[in-house]
Amino acid sequence: MSVAAPVPKPVGPSLKVVYKSSTKPTWCPGCGDYGVVAGVERALQTLQVPPHEVVIVSGIGCSSNLPHFLSTYGFHSIHGRAIPVAEGIKLANHRLHVIVTGGDGDGYGIGLGHLIHAMRRNLDITYVVMNNEIYGLTTGQASPTSVMGHKTKSTPQGVIEEPVNPVALALSAGATYVARGFSGDVKLLSDLVAGGIQHKGFALVDVFSPCVTYNHLNTFDFFRQRVYRLDSAQHDPTDLQKAYQKAHEWGTKIPIGLFYRAEKPTYEDLEEALKEGPLVHQKAGIRGRTEILDEFV
Amino acid sequence: MKDIALRTGGAAGDGIATIGETFGRFFTRNGYHAFGHTGYQSVIRGGHVWFQARAGTDRVWSQGDGCDLLYALDKQTVDIHAPSLRQGGVLIYDPEKFSVPAEEIPHGVTPLEVPTLAIARKFSSNSILQSAAGMGAAAYVAGVPMETLQGLLTDSFRRKGEEVLAQNLGAAQGGYEHARAHGRVLDRALPPKGGSPKLFLSGNQAISLGAAAAGVKFLAQYPMTPASSIMHWMAAHARALHIVVKQAEDELAAINMAIGASHAGVRSMTATSGGGFSLMVEALGMAGMTETPLVVVESQRSGPSTGLPTKTEQGDLNLMLGAGQGEFPRAILAPGNVVEAFRLTRQAFDLAEAFQTPVLVASDLYLSEDMQSADREDFPLDFDPPSLFTVPEPPSGQNGYARYAITPSGVSPRAIPGQKGLNFIAGSDEHDEKGHLISDVLSGVPMWVEKRKQMMDKRMRKLDGIRAATSPPTVEGSPHPSLLIVGWGSTANPVRDAMRSLEEQGIPVGYLQIHQPWPLHAGRVGEILRAAPKVLLVEENYSGQLGRLIRAETGFEIPAKLLKYDGEPFYPWEIVQKVREVVGRVRSGAGS
């Protein structure tokens, strides 16, 4: 069975829409995040979603500056809290396409608690994590995904704890779309992001996005020599057990692509208050409803 | 003024809150104002719970001093509360459950043994029915018509079916008849009054109602005493009111979700106590920086740290004033009773939206969980919140839309995601009018140094607007007082009862209640203080936090302080005693 990443279908009018903003990224030359912003932009182009119907939410870190470089709505929030901000936006107006972008420190360190809960809730949010296995903006400390033995400013003798495995974590937390991209493969990455946006439910797209300044271990070359595409390896993304096996492959061969996809009701589907459409379009207040006071008599 | 207080106590799980609320409604159903004070401990079963309902020929504002009827469901209740029984009081208990030696019954108090369990057994094997018999006896002793209790039981048990209702009505009648045969009606029983029944509700219910009236569409909250019952009321009504109630994984998520929902265009709030609010501090600053309207209810309890989770305090004013790194505009509103809780919560939403900044509603356990009466007219439901999404789109101007345009008021035209052509980035970093970062490659460059100052000035100007849009405080009580009491929040309740006692004793007192600690109307507050012959600060904390704020803002040092931080609310007699001391009219012995 050939199971590729889903081919995204355009959902908006076929216009040439500008998704790039006039703000130029301030990332280091060669930073992996350039590939990611290109991948997100290309996904939006493919889907032709009107920019004003997209909100990109981020936290803090080099990669969290991403919303400034696109022309959609954006919310550049505080460290580790992009997910709950995005959940609030989605619940207030679930017709918006809500995308969260950020780094491994932001998402798998300080913000990890929120991520697990967002995944089990299955809100229709797409989360793109630029995972460079290091803290860049604070000049090179170990991150939650730094591998054992990695020598950094905060771990001069090498890291002595196991890294977070984002894909395995997402599978166990109940994410319904779990993928991994590589900023060295923008085409695949944009397909994975577009697939995540189209997927009804929580999509995690973990992206190897090398830090060229502070991580001399997990470089572009490191990944180029190791990554292989799951769709070329006949992986069935509906098989959770196979997905778990693939999630634990690390070493000379590292899989990228779509690990797992499942159809489940979203949180918005199940939330009674949203049955009559987005909250922001609903009538507010209780004018004249004095019967509400009866319970206090 | 004649007042009467009915108290009940037992173990957690005995249904004490239900009995106590029923006692309160004995009065409110008959047109009297009432106050219901609850005391409980941080355990789910066992432990000691008590509730006191009080009413009077004139309006009562607090739990008062002492009680006239004590319905004890366990011996511990007698041990703890019998000494509070006033002369002429009655102690109700079931001798089948425990005995009370004669020497433990205070002088002037009459015991009334009621076989509540035996009465209950006539109707059901379920011993919970004993409380219906107890309430029946209490109704007779309190001089409350049996019809009042029948109405209350009918409203409570109708939905549980005819059989359960009949059992409760039967047991209540049994208790009432037993008391009529063996007991007597209290001298302090209130005469029939007539008039419409009053509402009887907690501060948290009033806050929730105020939020609903203001058009709240989104509440995110994490459970924490004494704020949790806001989430409970909202969740129970979420379906009917079309409100999303999200129990978050922690307070960090709760406030950030509320900020996200508000950013997307709905009126949003979160509620917590001091511990949870401590976690929310960073995001509060983000609401200020991104100019996102937000209402946060901070219901204080005894700190520091976990402190006394079920006891009251006003110890978080400093925290609320200073929460967040850097400086941003905020307002702090401090209701003292249920009517103010409704009004100020509604105002909090209006201010937050008008000035696009966070507004805190400062409550405390005493206000949030105790119950007070009110009239229906006190809760006007006459407001249509504006729909932000459908308002005309903000002007985009020649150079595109500037979300953070610098304006004289500091308030900029606000777009909502989904509106076409107004796309912008909200940023927690310092930014320019369009939301572009000036925190990285532009920081320190002279033109952007100036821009940073302009953006700070723009945001902070909102404080002037908030001050101008809100009313300065006024003094209540005697126009020519011999002493002015200053306080904030729920202490207003025992203060008002104390003021009446003092007036009866020939000591006229005024009360300056600070409903809006921030931004303080410092000019007016200073004038009032300087005109007063004597001033007494009354606060539920160790250091006199409001006093410190007033000194900082007005230069007026309040020399006399009555501070309490033992977890219990003020009792009117404590305030009476302190006022007499300060005005130099000390007399021996306490009591009102």
Short mmCIF file of all heavy atoms in Angstrom, two decimals, chain A residues 52 67 71 73-74 76-77 84 87-89 114 117 121 267 279-283 287-290 294-297, chain B residues 25 29 200 217 233 237 240 242 246 249-250 257 260-261 264 376 381-382 389 416 418-419 423-426 428:
data_model
loop_
_atom_site.label_atom_id
_atom_site.label_comp_id
_atom_site.label_asym_id
_atom_site.label_seq_id
_atom_site.Cartn_x
_atom_site.Cartn_y
_atom_site.Cartn_z
N HIS A 52 -6.28 36.68 6.12
CA HIS A 52 -6.96 37.22 7.30
C HIS A 52 -7.74 36.14 8.06
O HIS A 52 -8.27 36.41 9.12
CB HIS A 52 -7.90 38.38 6.90
CG HIS A 52 -9.09 37.98 6.09
ND1 HIS A 52 -9.04 37.86 4.72
CD2 HIS A 52 -10.35 37.68 6.45
CE1 HIS A 52 -10.24 37.49 4.28
NE2 HIS A 52 -11.04 37.38 5.30
N PRO A 67 5.95 34.55 13.07
CA PRO A 67 4.72 35.24 12.62
C PRO A 67 4.98 36.60 11.98
O PRO A 67 4.23 37.02 11.10
CB PRO A 67 3.91 35.40 13.92
CG PRO A 67 4.40 34.32 14.82
CD PRO A 67 5.85 34.13 14.48
N SER A 71 2.19 37.44 6.35
CA SER A 71 1.23 38.54 6.31
C SER A 71 -0.12 38.19 6.93
O SER A 71 -1.08 38.93 6.78
CB SER A 71 1.00 38.98 4.87
OG SER A 71 0.37 37.92 4.16
N TYR A 73 -2.71 37.20 10.32
CA TYR A 73 -2.77 37.67 11.71
C TYR A 73 -1.73 36.88 12.51
O TYR A 73 -1.39 35.74 12.16
CB TYR A 73 -4.17 37.44 12.30
CG TYR A 73 -5.16 38.53 11.92
CD1 TYR A 73 -5.98 38.38 10.80
CD2 TYR A 73 -5.27 39.68 12.68
CE1 TYR A 73 -6.90 39.37 10.47
CE2 TYR A 73 -6.19 40.68 12.35
CZ TYR A 73 -6.99 40.53 11.24
OH TYR A 73 -7.87 41.51 10.91
N GLY A 74 -1.24 37.51 13.59
CA GLY A 74 -0.24 36.81 14.40
C GLY A 74 -0.31 37.22 15.85
O GLY A 74 -0.84 38.29 16.18
N HIS A 76 2.50 37.01 18.88
CA HIS A 76 3.84 36.65 19.36
C HIS A 76 3.78 36.74 20.89
O HIS A 76 3.91 37.81 21.46
CB HIS A 76 4.83 37.65 18.76
CG HIS A 76 6.26 37.36 19.08
ND1 HIS A 76 7.28 38.19 18.67
CD2 HIS A 76 6.87 36.36 19.75
CE1 HIS A 76 8.45 37.71 19.08
NE2 HIS A 76 8.22 36.60 19.74
N SER A 77 3.53 35.60 21.54
CA SER A 77 3.21 35.64 22.97
C SER A 77 4.45 35.45 23.83
O SER A 77 5.55 35.79 23.41
CB SER A 77 2.12 34.59 23.28
OG SER A 77 2.65 33.28 23.27
N PRO A 84 -1.73 27.63 24.82
CA PRO A 84 -2.99 28.10 25.41
C PRO A 84 -3.54 29.37 24.76
O PRO A 84 -4.75 29.51 24.64
CB PRO A 84 -2.67 28.31 26.89
CG PRO A 84 -1.20 28.23 27.02
CD PRO A 84 -0.69 27.44 25.87
N GLU A 87 -5.27 28.08 21.78
CA GLU A 87 -6.51 27.39 22.14
C GLU A 87 -7.63 28.40 22.39
O GLU A 87 -8.77 28.19 21.98
CB GLU A 87 -6.29 26.51 23.38
CG GLU A 87 -5.44 25.29 23.09
CD GLU A 87 -5.12 24.48 24.34
OE1 GLU A 87 -4.48 25.04 25.27
OE2 GLU A 87 -5.49 23.31 24.41
N GLY A 88 -7.29 29.49 23.09
CA GLY A 88 -8.29 30.53 23.34
C GLY A 88 -8.78 31.15 22.05
O GLY A 88 -9.99 31.36 21.87
N ILE A 89 -7.88 31.42 21.14
CA ILE A 89 -8.26 32.01 19.84
C ILE A 89 -9.18 31.04 19.10
O ILE A 89 -10.23 31.42 18.58
CB ILE A 89 -7.01 32.33 19.01
CG1 ILE A 89 -6.22 33.48 19.65
CG2 ILE A 89 -7.39 32.68 17.56
CD1 ILE A 89 -4.85 33.73 19.04
N HIS A 114 1.35 22.24 28.47
CA HIS A 114 0.24 22.69 27.63
C HIS A 114 0.10 21.82 26.38
O HIS A 114 -0.99 21.53 25.92
CB HIS A 114 0.44 24.15 27.20
CG HIS A 114 0.64 25.07 28.35
ND1 HIS A 114 -0.21 25.09 29.43
CD2 HIS A 114 1.59 26.02 28.60
CE1 HIS A 114 0.20 26.02 30.29
NE2 HIS A 114 1.29 26.58 29.81
N HIS A 117 -1.77 18.53 26.93
CA HIS A 117 -3.22 18.71 27.09
C HIS A 117 -3.88 19.13 25.78
O HIS A 117 -5.00 18.73 25.49
CB HIS A 117 -3.50 19.69 28.22
CG HIS A 117 -3.09 19.15 29.55
ND1 HIS A 117 -3.82 18.19 30.20
CD2 HIS A 117 -2.00 19.39 30.32
CE1 HIS A 117 -3.20 17.88 31.33
NE2 HIS A 117 -2.10 18.58 31.43
N ARG A 121 -6.86 17.03 23.87
CA ARG A 121 -8.12 17.72 23.58
C ARG A 121 -8.49 17.65 22.10
O ARG A 121 -9.63 17.86 21.73
CB ARG A 121 -8.00 19.21 23.95
CG ARG A 121 -8.08 19.45 25.42
CD ARG A 121 -7.83 20.90 25.80
NE ARG A 121 -7.61 20.91 27.23
CZ ARG A 121 -6.69 21.61 27.87
NH1 ARG A 121 -5.91 22.43 27.20
NH2 ARG A 121 -6.57 21.52 29.17
N TYR A 267 -12.28 18.99 19.71
CA TYR A 267 -12.84 19.63 20.90
C TYR A 267 -13.97 20.56 20.49
O TYR A 267 -15.03 20.61 21.13
CB TYR A 267 -11.75 20.39 21.65
CG TYR A 267 -12.18 20.85 23.02
CD1 TYR A 267 -11.95 20.06 24.14
CD2 TYR A 267 -12.84 22.07 23.21
CE1 TYR A 267 -12.35 20.46 25.41
CE2 TYR A 267 -13.25 22.48 24.46
CZ TYR A 267 -13.00 21.69 25.55
OH TYR A 267 -13.40 22.09 26.80
N LEU A 279 -18.07 31.55 18.63
CA LEU A 279 -18.45 32.40 19.76
C LEU A 279 -18.47 33.87 19.37
O LEU A 279 -19.35 34.62 19.78
CB LEU A 279 -17.43 32.25 20.89
CG LEU A 279 -17.58 31.19 21.96
CD1 LEU A 279 -16.57 31.48 23.07
CD2 LEU A 279 -18.99 31.14 22.51
N VAL A 280 -17.48 34.28 18.60
CA VAL A 280 -17.33 35.71 18.30
C VAL A 280 -18.50 36.22 17.47
O VAL A 280 -18.77 37.42 17.45
CB VAL A 280 -15.97 35.97 17.61
CG1 VAL A 280 -15.95 35.44 16.18
CG2 VAL A 280 -15.59 37.44 17.65
N HIS A 281 -19.22 35.33 16.82
CA HIS A 281 -20.38 35.76 16.03
C HIS A 281 -21.69 35.62 16.80
O HIS A 281 -22.74 36.01 16.31
CB HIS A 281 -20.49 34.94 14.74
CG HIS A 281 -19.34 35.16 13.80
ND1 HIS A 281 -18.94 36.41 13.42
CD2 HIS A 281 -18.51 34.29 13.19
CE1 HIS A 281 -17.90 36.29 12.60
NE2 HIS A 281 -17.62 35.01 12.46
N GLN A 282 -21.62 35.03 17.98
CA GLN A 282 -22.85 34.81 18.75
C GLN A 282 -23.23 36.05 19.53
O GLN A 282 -22.40 36.89 19.87
CB GLN A 282 -22.66 33.65 19.73
CG GLN A 282 -22.54 32.29 19.08
CD GLN A 282 -22.44 31.20 20.13
OE1 GLN A 282 -22.89 31.37 21.25
NE2 GLN A 282 -21.84 30.09 19.76
N LYS A 283 -24.51 36.11 19.88
CA LYS A 283 -25.00 37.18 20.73
C LYS A 283 -24.40 36.99 22.13
O LYS A 283 -24.26 35.86 22.59
CB LYS A 283 -26.52 37.08 20.79
CG LYS A 283 -27.20 38.25 21.47
CD LYS A 283 -28.72 38.01 21.50
CE LYS A 283 -29.42 39.04 22.36
NZ LYS A 283 -28.94 39.12 23.73
N ARG A 287 -29.50 40.06 28.45
CA ARG A 287 -30.50 41.12 28.55
C ARG A 287 -31.91 40.54 28.71
O ARG A 287 -32.34 39.68 27.94
CB ARG A 287 -30.46 41.99 27.29
CG ARG A 287 -31.34 43.20 27.40
CD ARG A 287 -31.43 43.97 26.09
NE ARG A 287 -32.17 45.19 26.34
CZ ARG A 287 -31.60 46.39 26.46
NH1 ARG A 287 -30.32 46.53 26.28
NH2 ARG A 287 -32.34 47.45 26.72
N GLY A 288 -32.60 41.03 29.73
CA GLY A 288 -34.00 40.66 29.92
C GLY A 288 -34.25 39.26 30.47
O GLY A 288 -35.39 38.90 30.75
N ARG A 289 -33.20 38.49 30.66
CA ARG A 289 -33.41 37.09 31.10
C ARG A 289 -33.47 37.02 32.62
O ARG A 289 -32.66 36.36 33.27
CB ARG A 289 -32.32 36.20 30.52
CG ARG A 289 -32.41 36.16 28.99
CD ARG A 289 -31.42 35.21 28.40
NE ARG A 289 -31.67 33.84 28.86
CZ ARG A 289 -30.93 32.81 28.46
NH1 ARG A 289 -29.94 32.99 27.61
NH2 ARG A 289 -31.18 31.60 28.90
N THR A 290 -34.47 37.70 33.18
CA THR A 290 -34.54 37.80 34.63
C THR A 290 -34.84 36.47 35.31
O THR A 290 -34.68 36.35 36.52
CB THR A 290 -35.61 38.83 35.05
OG1 THR A 290 -36.81 38.51 34.36
CG2 THR A 290 -35.19 40.24 34.67
N ASP A 294 -34.08 33.65 39.44
CA ASP A 294 -35.01 32.85 40.26
C ASP A 294 -34.29 31.84 41.17
O ASP A 294 -34.76 31.54 42.25
CB ASP A 294 -36.00 32.08 39.36
CG ASP A 294 -36.94 33.04 38.63
OD1 ASP A 294 -37.02 34.21 39.04
OD2 ASP A 294 -37.58 32.60 37.65
N GLU A 295 -33.15 31.34 40.69
CA GLU A 295 -32.46 30.33 41.50
C GLU A 295 -31.93 30.89 42.83
O GLU A 295 -31.57 30.14 43.72
CB GLU A 295 -31.28 29.73 40.71
CG GLU A 295 -30.13 30.70 40.49
CD GLU A 295 -28.95 30.08 39.76
OE1 GLU A 295 -28.10 29.48 40.43
OE2 GLU A 295 -28.89 30.19 38.52
N PHE A 296 -31.88 32.22 42.93
CA PHE A 296 -31.33 32.81 44.15
C PHE A 296 -32.40 33.14 45.19
O PHE A 296 -32.10 33.62 46.26
CB PHE A 296 -30.54 34.09 43.82
CG PHE A 296 -29.42 33.85 42.84
CD1 PHE A 296 -29.34 34.55 41.65
CD2 PHE A 296 -28.43 32.91 43.13
CE1 PHE A 296 -28.31 34.32 40.75
CE2 PHE A 296 -27.39 32.67 42.23
CZ PHE A 296 -27.33 33.38 41.04
N VAL A 297 -33.67 32.93 44.82
CA VAL A 297 -34.74 33.30 45.75
C VAL A 297 -34.79 32.32 46.93
O VAL A 297 -34.68 31.12 46.71
CB VAL A 297 -36.11 33.33 45.03
CG1 VAL A 297 -37.22 33.60 46.05
CG2 VAL A 297 -36.10 34.40 43.96
N ARG B 25 -32.66 31.63 54.11
CA ARG B 25 -33.89 31.87 53.34
C ARG B 25 -35.13 31.92 54.23
O ARG B 25 -36.18 32.38 53.79
CB ARG B 25 -34.02 30.82 52.23
CG ARG B 25 -32.96 30.98 51.15
CD ARG B 25 -33.18 30.05 49.96
NE ARG B 25 -31.92 29.72 49.30
CZ ARG B 25 -31.27 30.52 48.46
NH1 ARG B 25 -31.78 31.70 48.16
NH2 ARG B 25 -30.12 30.17 47.94
N ARG B 29 -36.94 34.83 52.32
CA ARG B 29 -38.24 34.51 51.73
C ARG B 29 -39.35 35.36 52.35
O ARG B 29 -40.40 35.54 51.75
CB ARG B 29 -38.56 33.02 51.94
CG ARG B 29 -37.79 32.10 51.02
CD ARG B 29 -38.59 31.75 49.78
NE ARG B 29 -37.79 31.05 48.81
CZ ARG B 29 -38.07 29.83 48.33
NH1 ARG B 29 -39.12 29.18 48.77
NH2 ARG B 29 -37.30 29.29 47.41
N PHE B 200 -30.80 35.62 47.68
CA PHE B 200 -29.78 35.25 48.68
C PHE B 200 -28.70 34.50 47.93
O PHE B 200 -28.94 33.40 47.41
CB PHE B 200 -30.44 34.36 49.75
CG PHE B 200 -29.62 34.14 50.99
CD1 PHE B 200 -29.05 35.20 51.68
CD2 PHE B 200 -29.43 32.85 51.49
CE1 PHE B 200 -28.32 35.00 52.85
CE2 PHE B 200 -28.70 32.63 52.66
CZ PHE B 200 -28.15 33.71 53.34
N LYS B 217 -18.15 35.55 27.20
CA LYS B 217 -18.39 34.38 26.35
C LYS B 217 -17.38 33.28 26.63
O LYS B 217 -17.51 32.17 26.12
CB LYS B 217 -18.30 34.76 24.87
CG LYS B 217 -19.36 35.72 24.38
CD LYS B 217 -20.78 35.17 24.46
CE LYS B 217 -21.10 34.19 23.37
NZ LYS B 217 -22.48 33.67 23.54
N TRP B 233 -20.62 27.82 38.74
CA TRP B 233 -21.85 28.51 38.29
C TRP B 233 -21.82 28.67 36.77
O TRP B 233 -22.81 28.40 36.08
CB TRP B 233 -21.99 29.87 38.97
CG TRP B 233 -23.35 30.48 38.77
CD1 TRP B 233 -24.43 30.32 39.60
CD2 TRP B 233 -23.80 31.30 37.68
NE1 TRP B 233 -25.52 31.01 39.09
CE2 TRP B 233 -25.17 31.61 37.91
CE3 TRP B 233 -23.19 31.81 36.53
CZ2 TRP B 233 -25.93 32.40 37.05
CZ3 TRP B 233 -23.95 32.60 35.66
CH2 TRP B 233 -25.30 32.89 35.92
N HIS B 237 -24.31 26.95 33.84
CA HIS B 237 -25.14 27.80 32.98
C HIS B 237 -24.56 27.95 31.57
O HIS B 237 -25.11 28.68 30.76
CB HIS B 237 -25.30 29.17 33.62
CG HIS B 237 -26.08 29.14 34.90
ND1 HIS B 237 -25.54 28.72 36.08
CD2 HIS B 237 -27.37 29.45 35.19
CE1 HIS B 237 -26.45 28.77 37.04
NE2 HIS B 237 -27.57 29.21 36.52
N ALA B 240 -26.97 27.13 28.61
CA ALA B 240 -28.08 28.07 28.44
C ALA B 240 -27.58 29.44 27.99
O ALA B 240 -28.26 30.15 27.25
CB ALA B 240 -28.87 28.20 29.74
N HIS B 242 -24.65 30.05 26.40
CA HIS B 242 -23.70 29.98 25.28
C HIS B 242 -22.35 30.58 25.66
O HIS B 242 -21.86 31.51 25.02
CB HIS B 242 -24.27 30.64 24.03
CG HIS B 242 -25.52 29.99 23.55
ND1 HIS B 242 -25.52 28.82 22.82
CD2 HIS B 242 -26.81 30.32 23.72
CE1 HIS B 242 -26.76 28.47 22.56
NE2 HIS B 242 -27.56 29.35 23.09
N LYS B 246 -13.81 26.63 30.09
CA LYS B 246 -12.71 25.69 29.88
C LYS B 246 -11.93 25.52 31.17
O LYS B 246 -11.29 26.47 31.63
CB LYS B 246 -11.78 26.20 28.77
CG LYS B 246 -10.68 25.23 28.42
CD LYS B 246 -11.21 24.08 27.57
CE LYS B 246 -10.36 22.83 27.71
NZ LYS B 246 -10.68 22.01 28.91
N GLU B 249 -5.42 23.23 32.29
CA GLU B 249 -4.50 22.32 32.98
C GLU B 249 -3.77 23.01 34.13
O GLU B 249 -3.22 22.35 35.00
CB GLU B 249 -3.49 21.71 32.00
CG GLU B 249 -2.62 22.70 31.23
CD GLU B 249 -3.26 23.11 29.90
OE1 GLU B 249 -4.49 23.03 29.79
OE2 GLU B 249 -2.52 23.51 28.98
N ASP B 250 -3.73 24.32 34.12
CA ASP B 250 -3.12 25.08 35.21
C ASP B 250 -3.50 26.55 35.01
O ASP B 250 -4.13 26.90 34.02
CB ASP B 250 -1.59 24.89 35.27
CG ASP B 250 -0.90 25.15 33.94
OD1 ASP B 250 -1.34 26.06 33.21
OD2 ASP B 250 0.07 24.44 33.62
N MET B 257 -5.27 31.27 27.78
CA MET B 257 -6.46 30.96 26.97
C MET B 257 -7.41 32.16 26.95
O MET B 257 -7.95 32.52 25.90
CB MET B 257 -7.20 29.75 27.56
CG MET B 257 -6.55 28.42 27.29
SD MET B 257 -7.54 27.14 28.13
CE MET B 257 -6.61 25.67 27.66
N GLY B 260 -6.09 34.70 24.66
CA GLY B 260 -6.28 34.30 23.26
C GLY B 260 -7.72 34.53 22.81
O GLY B 260 -7.98 35.08 21.74
N ALA B 261 -8.67 34.13 23.65
CA ALA B 261 -10.08 34.29 23.30
C ALA B 261 -10.45 35.77 23.18
O ALA B 261 -11.18 36.17 22.28
CB ALA B 261 -10.97 33.60 24.33
N ALA B 264 -9.25 37.22 20.03
CA ALA B 264 -10.10 36.83 18.90
C ALA B 264 -11.47 37.47 18.96
O ALA B 264 -12.31 37.20 18.12
CB ALA B 264 -10.22 35.30 18.84
N ARG B 376 -34.05 42.04 43.52
CA ARG B 376 -33.89 41.73 42.09
C ARG B 376 -33.40 42.95 41.32
O ARG B 376 -32.60 42.83 40.40
CB ARG B 376 -35.22 41.24 41.50
CG ARG B 376 -35.70 39.91 42.07
CD ARG B 376 -37.02 39.50 41.43
NE ARG B 376 -36.81 38.81 40.17
CZ ARG B 376 -36.77 37.49 40.03
NH1 ARG B 376 -36.95 36.72 41.08
NH2 ARG B 376 -36.57 36.95 38.86
N LEU B 381 -30.43 43.57 34.33
CA LEU B 381 -29.98 42.79 33.17
C LEU B 381 -30.46 43.54 31.92
O LEU B 381 -31.28 43.06 31.15
CB LEU B 381 -30.57 41.38 33.23
CG LEU B 381 -30.28 40.60 34.53
CD1 LEU B 381 -30.93 39.22 34.49
CD2 LEU B 381 -28.79 40.48 34.78
N ASP B 382 -29.95 44.74 31.75
CA ASP B 382 -30.47 45.65 30.73
C ASP B 382 -29.39 46.04 29.72
O ASP B 382 -29.44 47.09 29.12
CB ASP B 382 -31.00 46.92 31.40
CG ASP B 382 -29.93 47.62 32.23
OD1 ASP B 382 -28.82 47.05 32.38
OD2 ASP B 382 -30.20 48.72 32.73
N PHE B 389 -16.93 42.04 16.56
CA PHE B 389 -16.61 41.57 15.22
C PHE B 389 -17.37 42.35 14.16
O PHE B 389 -16.90 42.54 13.06
CB PHE B 389 -16.93 40.07 15.09
CG PHE B 389 -16.24 39.45 13.93
CD1 PHE B 389 -14.95 38.99 14.07
CD2 PHE B 389 -16.84 39.36 12.69
CE1 PHE B 389 -14.27 38.43 13.01
CE2 PHE B 389 -16.18 38.81 11.62
CZ PHE B 389 -14.89 38.34 11.77
N ILE B 416 -9.96 42.52 14.85
CA ILE B 416 -10.14 41.16 15.35
C ILE B 416 -9.71 40.20 14.24
O ILE B 416 -10.08 40.41 13.08
CB ILE B 416 -11.63 40.91 15.68
CG1 ILE B 416 -12.17 41.97 16.65
CG2 ILE B 416 -11.85 39.50 16.23
CD1 ILE B 416 -11.49 42.02 17.97
N GLY B 418 -9.68 37.65 11.45
CA GLY B 418 -10.81 37.29 10.61
C GLY B 418 -11.31 38.49 9.83
O GLY B 418 -11.96 38.33 8.80
N GLN B 419 -11.03 39.72 10.32
CA GLN B 419 -11.42 40.91 9.58
C GLN B 419 -10.43 41.12 8.44
O GLN B 419 -9.21 41.10 8.65
CB GLN B 419 -11.44 42.14 10.51
CG GLN B 419 -12.60 42.09 11.50
CD GLN B 419 -12.60 43.26 12.47
OE1 GLN B 419 -11.54 43.67 12.96
NE2 GLN B 419 -13.77 43.81 12.75
N ASN B 423 -4.83 42.68 8.99
CA ASN B 423 -3.91 41.72 9.61
C ASN B 423 -2.80 42.46 10.36
O ASN B 423 -2.22 43.41 9.86
CB ASN B 423 -3.28 40.83 8.55
CG ASN B 423 -4.31 40.24 7.59
OD1 ASN B 423 -5.44 40.70 7.55
ND2 ASN B 423 -3.91 39.25 6.85
N PHE B 424 -2.53 42.00 11.57
CA PHE B 424 -1.45 42.59 12.37
C PHE B 424 -0.90 41.52 13.29
O PHE B 424 -1.50 40.46 13.46
CB PHE B 424 -1.97 43.79 13.18
CG PHE B 424 -2.85 43.39 14.32
CD1 PHE B 424 -2.34 43.24 15.61
CD2 PHE B 424 -4.20 43.16 14.12
CE1 PHE B 424 -3.16 42.85 16.66
CE2 PHE B 424 -5.03 42.77 15.17
CZ PHE B 424 -4.50 42.63 16.45
N ILE B 425 0.25 41.83 13.88
CA ILE B 425 0.86 40.93 14.87
C ILE B 425 0.73 41.59 16.24
O ILE B 425 1.15 42.73 16.42
CB ILE B 425 2.36 40.70 14.59
CG1 ILE B 425 2.61 40.31 13.14
CG2 ILE B 425 2.93 39.68 15.56
CD1 ILE B 425 2.19 38.94 12.75
N ALA B 426 0.13 40.87 17.18
CA ALA B 426 0.16 41.30 18.57
C ALA B 426 1.45 40.76 19.17
O ALA B 426 1.74 39.58 19.01
CB ALA B 426 -1.05 40.76 19.32
N SER B 428 4.35 40.48 22.49
CA SER B 428 4.74 40.73 23.88
C SER B 428 6.07 41.47 23.93
O SER B 428 6.43 42.03 24.96
CB SER B 428 4.83 39.41 24.65
OG SER B 428 5.92 38.64 24.16
#
